[in-house]
Amino acid sequence: MVSAASDSGAALQLAGRRAVIAMAGMPIGRQLAQGLARHGAQVFEIPVVFTSKAQADEALAEAAREIGDADLIVHAAATPAALVVRPLEALTPADWRAAVHQSVLATLFCLQGAHSQQRERGGSVVVVGPSTALVGAAGLLPLMTLAEAQRTLVKSAARQWGALGMRLNWVGVAPLHYDAALAQAALPQTPELGPPPPALGRRPEPQADVADVVAWLGSAGARAITGASFNLDGGDWMVP
């Protein structure tokens, strides 16, 4: 558990709120946990990848026993196989199951677990993916497919559960912040901007910039926002 901490330079958007980070094995999870604590949240990190709805329910129940029911659940899932660069024509069914299927199921189970916990009182769920999912990347078809599947799950769940007071949104981050393993990938360049840096001159940092947006999405200030996609890559890909 990450304790809430005050920061005179940041509005405490999550003061008195509880956040769960379900990003087992992904370094960005710890960075976001620290960033959300800076906004006043009590934060609990789930250390396992969900392999069933029952496991997701139990992990979220354990978090609730520790800090109370989650007002905000932040999730990402990508197996190491999803981060491997390989040509489309070389993919086998086994590759696809390891790189895509397992992580899509982990996200499905996470959303189902969130529904079990938030359906009576409402809450916010944010799923994080690589921003390049919006434009595609050569050699990363499994990861791009996985991320778009997660984004579609978010939009569909947002429509179904909005009447329950549940809000679900997707946040895209710069690929190298999503996972450092993507440094080996041939990431696409934005044709209108040329090579990096992006429009803002930097890529938003998970612990500061990205956490600020996720904290807002979990706050009362974003109560009218659901089913949206937020591209936090500093203006690298300016797409709807």
Side-chain angles (χ1 to χ4, degrees), residues 95-118:
D95 293 334
W96 194 258
R97 284 190 292 271
V100 182
H101 191 60
Q102 292 179 19
S103 296
V104 171
L105 285 177
T107 299
L108 172 65
F109 298 142
C110 184
L111 297 188
Q112 290 174 331
H115 176 262
S116 296
Q117 188 166 112
Q118 296 183 343

Side-chain angles (χ1 to χ4, degrees), residues 6-65:
S6 64
D7 183 339
S8 59
L12 297 182
Q13 300 186 88
L14 298 178
R17 299 197 177 211
R18 299 166 294 273
V20 170
I21 305 291
M23 297 185 177
M26 303 187 71
I28 190 176
R30 168 44 58 121
Q31 295 171 308
L32 290 176
Q34 293 170 341
L36 297 182
R38 179 171 53 85
H39 278 277
Q42 285 186 280
V43 184
F44 185 92
E45 296 179 66
I46 293 176
V48 297
V49 176
F50 300 139
T51 58
S52 68
K53 179 181 182 296
Q55 185 188 35
D57 285 340
E58 176 51 35
L60 289 168
E62 180 183 354
R65 290 191 290 270

Side-chain angles (χ1 to χ4, degrees), residues 24-26 49 77-86 95 98-100 102-103 140 142-143 146 179 181-182:
M26 303 187 71
V49 176
T79 64
L83 306 173
V84 175
V85 178
R86 67 190 109 190
D95 293 334
V100 182
Q102 292 179 19
S103 296
L140 289 173
L143 180 61
L146 162 62
D179 197 291
L182 297 181

Side-chain angles (χ1 to χ4, degrees), residues 23 28 32 74-77 126-130 150 170-173 178 214:
M23 297 185 177
I28 190 176
L32 290 176
V74 187
H75 168 74
V126 175
V127 175
V128 177
Q150 290 168 331
W170 184 88
V171 166
V173 300
Y178 183 74
V214 173

